[in-house]
Amino acid sequence: MNEEYKDNNNMIESKPSDSVESKADLLSDTPNNESGNKKDFISELYGNGLGEVKKSTSGRKSVRRSVIFSIVACCIALMTFISGLLIGLNSGVKVSKSDYAFLSEAQELRAVIKFIKENYYGDIDEKTLLAYAEYGVVDNLDAYSHVTTFDEAISSTAGSQYQVGIVIDNSVAGEFCISWVEPGSPAEEADLKIGDKLVAVGYRRDDLYNVEKTHLSTVTALFSVQIKEVYIQVKRDGTVREPLLIVRDAVSSNSVHAIHDFNSVFGINIDSDIGYIALADFTNEGIGDGLKIALNDFKLRGKKKLILDLRNNGGGSGDILAEVGSYFIKNEKGSGKTPIIKHIYKNGEEHIIETTGYNYIYKDTGYEYKIAVLVNGGTASASEALIGAMIGAETCELIGETTYGKGIGQLTIYDNPDWNSVYSITYTAGYYDFFNDVSAYVESATGPVYNIHEKGFTPHVEYRLSKGKSNILSTDAQFLKAVEYLENLD
């Protein structure tokens, strides 16, 4: 791998060679930090919660359970490397100047290695420790880079057949509320509703765990990947209901949540020409089909205004971005490809992500939607890329709070012949630029802006919430602000 360099925003690495199979994982994964800019819901449907082991987060935490083992691992790795160089020196083999300099600077590390080998109380499995060292090398590059082992790759899909079909939102302190119920899912069959507050869960009706005022990770852990039946107790309309038995099963979802009748779902009256679509992420390959179904339904109902909810959408792949962009990015001709972003690698190579050529706004409706886009601190990466292109085409207005600000992208590399225990490595490969100036939505911008890394977009209609977005739309102040904005447009 080439030497690293640091640009104005981030550390990036060279693009992988063509001899190694690579898969674009561009624009994904808002880092799981404590700043409030992380996803505030868990979704069994989209690989981030109930009934599924998340390989990129929980897997890493499980292997980093011991600081001492990580230190020993790094020492063993260095010892192996240094020993090889010393053998080469003693055999008269020439080493590079940089390798010789490394040997000269590694005397203290060699002393530490010797001390650990002589004094650490337990047996040292060098293969395991070297695997830990691999984690340390990649995971400490930045908040987005990580290693996935073969064991983790297997376990991450082990529970995919056991799903409930709900999205849980914990934006309001001390509450876990169902913000979406997937049609046709076990949750819908069990009569779970949007707005139900989660009270308790468990595997035996008489032994449930109360989830109120606990941590999201604890709630997530309660849904085992190996148990098909689970009891869920909810509070609805102020009344705690009897526990419901959910028989978990495979759930088909396209990450598209569409609502056309707000009165029947939430009991609120909204102009009939307004539709609502929430995109949970940019990872599901069926998202285009879901958008087509929703927008065709809106067309039949005569809707000409749209609320696009990208709050807490942490991104996904560049391919999905291209597909979604085809529905929302303006193309005057109604056909042909439109550039969205330009991804720039360390070696200077550029890769343009563009729409797929399909343009819903003009081709299928004959008119242009007036769009209000809801955003917050969890709106990141691919969702920000979509927003930037829509801003450049002047097809939307932003409402809510400043977005996360992730203008860099990752690549995931699989099946390297030199890797034994490593299934894949995801690393930050470069940054992306917009084709149009987006400075109008970047706070304190003094000139043109084409990259929003560590900046984010600040809405013109800024509406901050003290406790995050509401669990349900009928009490969601940001949603209601978007409704007000659209109702005032001609």
Side-chain angles (χ1 to χ4, degrees), residues 20 37 48-49 51 54 110 137 147 214 217-218 245 251 253 261 275 286 307 324 350 374 391 399 430 437 453 489:
V20 180
N37 288 335
N48 194 27
K54 183 67 173 177
R110 293 176 62 192
V137 168
V147 168
T214 186
S217 59
T218 303
L245 173 62
V251 174
S253 172
D261 184 354
I307 297 174
V324 174
E350 297 179 355
L374 291 174
I391 289 172
I399 296 175
D437 176 21
H453 190 62
L489 295 179

Side-chain angles (χ1 to χ4, degrees), residues 82-304:
I82 294 171
S83 297
L85 289 177
L86 288 174
I87 291 173
L89 289 173
N90 292 332
S91 304
V93 177
K94 293 183 178 180
V95 297
S96 68
K97 183 177 181 180
S98 61
D99 285 342
Y100 183 82
F102 175 81
L103 284 172
S104 300
E105 296 170 357
Q107 297 302 315
E108 182 176 349
L109 289 175
R110 293 176 62 192
V112 171
I113 292 170
K114 184 174 183 297
F115 177 84
I116 290 295
K117 288 184 66 67
E118 292 177 352
N119 294 281
Y120 181 68
Y121 82 101
D123 295 332
I124 299 177
D125 178 3
E126 292 189 5
K127 181 178 179 181
T128 300
L129 295 178
L130 285 171
Y132 287 174
E134 292 166 354
Y135 272 94
V137 168
V138 179
D139 283 21
N140 286 292
L141 291 174
D142 56 30
Y144 313 99
S145 303
H146 60 86
V147 168
T148 299
T149 66
F150 280 99
D151 289 341
E152 289 170 349
I154 294 172
S155 67
S156 69
T157 59
S160 60
Q161 60 179 320
Y162 297 132
Q163 300 172 343
V164 174
I166 57 176
V167 176
I168 295 180
D169 190 308
N170 75 322
S171 299
V172 179
E175 292 184 358
F176 295 90
C177 189
I178 297 176
S179 60
W180 183 258
V181 178
E182 187 65 28
S185 67
E188 185 183 58
E189 293 177 5
D191 197 36
L192 289 176
K193 303 287 188 184
I194 294 175
D196 286 347
K197 294 181 180 179
L198 196 65
V199 175
V201 298
Y203 311 115
R204 293 187 298 274
R205 184 184 179 89
D206 58 351
D207 186 21
L208 301 181
Y209 182 89
N210 191 305
V211 302
E212 293 182 309
K213 301 186 184 305
T214 186
H215 295 287
L216 182 61
S217 59
T218 303
V219 176
T220 306
L222 293 171
F223 291 84
S224 167
V225 299
Q226 299 177 344
I227 298 178
K228 190 171 185 179
E229 295 185 350
V230 61
Y231 285 91
I232 298 179
Q233 187 174 33
V234 300
K235 180 188 291 185
R236 185 182 302 169
D237 299 327
T239 302
V240 177
R241 304 172 71 89
E242 291 295 316
L244 295 171
L245 173 62
I246 312 293
V247 180
R248 301 161 70 186
D249 204 347
V251 174
S252 177
S253 172
N254 54 38
S255 304
V256 179
H257 305 163
I259 298 173
H260 63 82
D261 184 354
F262 300 96
N263 186 47
S264 63
V265 178
F266 299 110
I268 51 179
N269 293 318
I270 292 175
D271 284 358
S272 60
D273 63 347
I274 296 178
Y276 170 89
I277 291 178
L279 299 182
D281 52 47
F282 283 41
T283 62
N284 194 304
E285 293 181 356
I287 194 169
D289 293 335
L291 282 172
K292 184 179 294 185
I293 292 171
L295 292 171
N296 279 332
D297 180 61
F298 288 174
K299 176 184 176 182
L300 293 174
R301 298 176 185 275
K303 298 187 182 296
K304 297 184 178 181

Side-chain angles (χ1 to χ4, degrees), residues 16-34:
S17 65
D18 294 337
S19 62
V20 180
E21 180 184 355
S22 66
K23 177 182 179 182
D25 190 29
L26 184 66
L27 320 172
S28 64
D29 291 336
T30 304
N32 188 14
N33 55 39
E34 299 300 325

Side-chain angles (χ1 to χ4, degrees), residues 7-78:
D7 67 5
N8 292 330
N9 296 320
N10 57 87
M11 185 74 76
I12 59 178
E13 295 182 30
S14 60
K15 185 183 178 184
S17 65
D18 294 337
S19 62
V20 180
E21 180 184 355
S22 66
K23 177 182 179 182
D25 190 29
L26 184 66
L27 320 172
S28 64
D29 291 336
T30 304
N32 188 14
N33 55 39
E34 299 300 325
S35 66
N37 288 335
K38 59 185 177 182
K39 286 189 176 181
D40 56 6
F41 62 86
I42 51 178
S43 169
E44 178 166 33
L45 306 177
Y46 316 119
N48 194 27
L50 312 184
E52 208 168 318
V53 178
K54 183 67 173 177
K55 66 182 180 183
S56 65
T57 302
S58 60
R60 296 203 306 277
K61 287 183 179 178
S62 66
V63 299
R64 292 184 291 186
R65 57 187 176 272
S66 169
V67 174
I68 253 199
F69 274 117
S70 298
I71 294 173
V72 174
C74 292
C75 291
I76 293 295
L78 286 169

